[in-house]
């Protein structure tokens, strides 16, 4: 039985949810918290309010939101070792979890309860309603107790985001859009944001010729606080240069490289350039060098990671929007396959608020032909795609 007081219930409606129905729920004393699947909404209410809501003519069913339903798939059993997410490239941080709350006030009240359960809070963001926590010893029972903390909406393993942009031009059919005898598109007049590892030298004054004169703004985001326990350089920020893989420079070139450096290059029929080769660039560098305390972490995860990606992705989108970008490209991802998590929700919230803003995310490199049938299986996209 539930203790007396207000709890979170699933209210399933008879069809696509109407604003008038949610208004009636509020008039009955319920507090709508978040949409759910199958024409349902999560509503906070007490016993009396629950009974009133259940009697509404357009309510099909009402029941408590199970604590287990707040645990992501795979968390019913303890994570062991440096776990993968059932995908070839996705890596998770063992014993580290993202705890999402329904609201900032739930988070403020819930974080002390989380600590009492033996979890260490690595970082928290009230605006995003997120806390990143760690437990040295994690069991199914301990995670279930965490899911029962009032106001917890979802608990997920903390995955490491990884670059995703292996095959591009052939799939996109760039020749059709770039050819002068076809659409003749250039991106002129647009500002496009790219969030990735880094951009060439990181200095607009001495940048690769394919981007020269078109970098409107560039920023490097420091290592997020949830890494502080494990590294010797908390908050490290080595700047916006593309030190390690060159992935960010490659992606920016795919998006809007002008082709200046390839003019007259032997063996080419014309400049090698990106789709929007006349657009301006806003670049957000999120790859940082991590000086790991434990050599095993350096071996397993690598020296450079996309550790500057904020827990609240709406921060990235808002920064880019303020700098004039209306298209935002993200060639990275990772997490539970096919799951809609908080980082999937953040782009949705951003474009709902800014109707002229378009967010693009790579589907990822985790697609596999598991049974040898010759086609990639569905539900292999990772967050935030």
């Amino acid at each position: 039985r539930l203790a007396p007081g207000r709890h979170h219930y699933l209210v399933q409606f008879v069809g696509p949810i109407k604003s008038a129905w949610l208004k009636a729920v509020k008039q009955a004393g319920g507090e709508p918290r978040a949409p759910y699947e199958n024409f349902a909404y999560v509503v906070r209410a007490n016993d009396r309010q629950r009974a009133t809501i259940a009697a509404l003519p357009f309510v099909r069913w009402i029941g408590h939101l199970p604590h287990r339903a707040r645990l992501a798939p795979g968390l019913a059993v303890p994570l062991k070792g440096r776990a993968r997410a059932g995908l070839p490239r996705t890596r998770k941080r063992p014993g580290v979890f993202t705890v999402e709350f329904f609201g900032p006030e739930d988070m403020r009240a819930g974080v002390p309860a989380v600590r009492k359960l033996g979890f260490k809070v690595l970082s928290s963001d009230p605006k995003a309603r997120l806390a990143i926590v760690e437990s040295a010893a994690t069991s199914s029972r301990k995670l279930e107790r965490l899911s029962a903390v009032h106001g917890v909406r979802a608990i997920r393993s903390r995955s490491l985001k990884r670059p995703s942009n292996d095959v591009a031009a052939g799939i996109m059919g760039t020749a059709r859009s770039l050819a002068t005898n076809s659409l003749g598109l250039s991106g002129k007049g647009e500002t496009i944001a790219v969030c990735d590892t880094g951009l060439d030298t990181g200095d607009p004054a001495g940048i690769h010729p394919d981007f020269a004169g078109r970098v409107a703004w560039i920023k490097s985001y420091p290592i997020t606080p949830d890494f502080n326990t494990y590294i010797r350089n908390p908050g490290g920020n080595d700047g916006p240069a593309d030190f390690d893989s060159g992935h960010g420079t490659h992606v920016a070139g795919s998006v809007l490289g002008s082709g200046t450096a390839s003019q007259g290059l032997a063996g080419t029929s014309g400049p090698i350039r990106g789709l929007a080769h006349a657009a301006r660039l806003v670049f957000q560098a999120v790859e940082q060098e991590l000086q790991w305390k434990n050599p095993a972490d350096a071996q397993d995860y690598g020296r450079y990671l996309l550790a500057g990606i904020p827990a609240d992705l709406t921060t990235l989108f808002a920064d880019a929007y303020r700098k004039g970008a209306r298209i935002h490209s993200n060639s990275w991802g990772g997490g539970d396959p096919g799951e809609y998590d908080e980082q999937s929700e953040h782009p949705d919230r951003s474009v709902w608020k800014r109707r002229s803003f378009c967010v693009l995310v790579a589907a990822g490199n985790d697609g596999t032909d598991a049974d040898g049938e010759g086609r990639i299986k569905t539900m292999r996209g990772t967050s935030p795609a």
Side-chain angles (χ1 to χ4, degrees):
R1 287 180 59 86
L2 298 174
R6 305 179 80 203
H7 295 279
H8 288 93
Y9 294 93
L10 282 177
V11 178
Q12 187 183 43
F13 296 88
V14 296
I17 301 170
K18 300 178 181 180
S19 58
W21 295 354
L22 290 178
K23 183 178 180 180
V25 167
K26 292 179 183 178
Q27 290 172 342
E31 181 188 357
R33 305 304 308 271
Y36 206 74
E37 59 192 40
N38 298 324
F39 304 147
Y41 219 94
V42 180
V43 175
R44 184 160 58 182
N46 59 28
D47 276 346
R48 178 182 56 79
Q49 294 161 346
R50 178 180 60 83
T52 304
I53 294 168
L56 294 172
F58 38 77
V59 170
R60 173 178 287 149
W61 178 86
I62 183 170
H64 182 251
L65 174 63
H67 296 140
R68 275 180 167 266
R70 310 177 202 207
L71 292 168
L75 289 189
V77 294
L79 292 173
K80 296 179 181 179
R82 304 184 187 282
R84 293 183 183 272
L87 299 173
R89 285 173 48 82
T90 294
R91 290 286 183 90
K92 295 183 176 182
R93 294 167 60 185
V96 180
F97 306 93
T98 298
V99 182
E100 181 184 5
F101 291 84
F102 281 105
E105 74 284 356
D106 299 301
M107 181 175 166
R108 282 190 288 270
V111 164
V114 170
R115 288 195 173 103
K116 282 186 179 180
L117 291 176
F119 289 88
K120 180 179 180 180
V121 178
L122 301 177
S123 69
S124 61
D125 187 336
K127 177 176 172 286
R129 312 180 310 280
L130 292 174
I132 300 172
V133 305
E134 178 194 36
S135 175
T138 307
S139 65
S140 299
R141 177 59 184 152
K142 190 170 183 179
L143 287 172
E144 287 174 13
R145 291 172 65 195
L146 178 61
S147 70
V149 171
H150 185 75
V152 167
R153 179 181 178 184
I155 301 168
R156 302 177 179 90
S157 295
R158 185 70 172 164
S159 64
L160 296 171
K161 300 302 181 186
R162 307 186 74 181
S164 302
N165 185 26
D166 288 353
V167 182
I171 294 173
M172 292 190 295
T174 56
R176 287 194 295 276
S177 56
L178 290 173
T180 54
N181 62 349
S182 182
L183 296 177
L185 301 177
S186 69
K188 185 176 182 179
E190 291 288 347
T191 299
I192 301 174
V194 173
C195 174
D196 213 289
T197 57
L199 181 67
D200 194 46
T201 64
D203 179 8
I207 208 78
H208 189 281
D210 278 20
F211 310 112
R214 294 188 296 127
V215 180
W217 184 69
I218 188 168
K219 177 180 177 177
S220 178
Y221 291 76
I223 299 171
T224 54
D226 51 298
F227 286 98
N228 288 358
T229 301
Y230 311 98
I231 58 177
R232 295 189 178 89
N233 61 329
N237 189 343
D238 52 29
D242 205 359
F243 285 114
D244 186 43
S245 65
H247 189 271
T249 307
H250 159 60
V251 169
S254 298
V255 172
L256 47 66
S258 67
T260 299
S262 61
Q263 288 280 11
L265 193 66
T268 65
S269 58
I272 301 171
R273 61 191 186 188
L275 280 167
H277 53 86
R280 287 170 60 78
L281 173 64
V282 162
F283 197 93
Q284 296 169 295
V286 292
E287 185 174 75
Q288 300 291 350
E289 178 188 9
L290 283 79
Q291 299 173 12
W292 296 102
K293 294 178 181 178
N294 185 349
D297 288 333
Q299 182 175 355
D300 288 337
Y301 299 135
R303 179 179 164 195
Y304 288 90
L305 288 176
L306 303 184
I309 298 175
D312 183 1
L313 297 187
T314 62
T315 301
L316 286 175
F317 305 137
D319 287 352
Y321 189 88
R322 281 193 294 268
K323 295 300 178 179
R326 295 298 179 264
I327 300 172
H328 198 284
S329 175
N330 304 271
S331 290
W332 46 267
D336 291 324
E339 283 298 304
Y340 185 90
D341 65 14
E342 76 283 347
Q343 288 203 335
S344 301
E345 184 177 337
H346 293 167
D348 284 348
R349 288 190 179 277
S350 293
V351 298
W352 180 260
K353 183 177 180 181
R354 304 172 182 89
R355 302 300 177 92
S356 61
F357 195 57
C358 177
V359 177
L360 306 171
V361 185
N365 299 324
D366 278 310
T368 55
D369 178 15
D371 54 13
E373 287 184 342
R375 60 188 180 90
I376 300 300
K377 299 300 173 284
T378 57
M379 298 300 283
R380 290 296 179 184
T382 57
S383 172

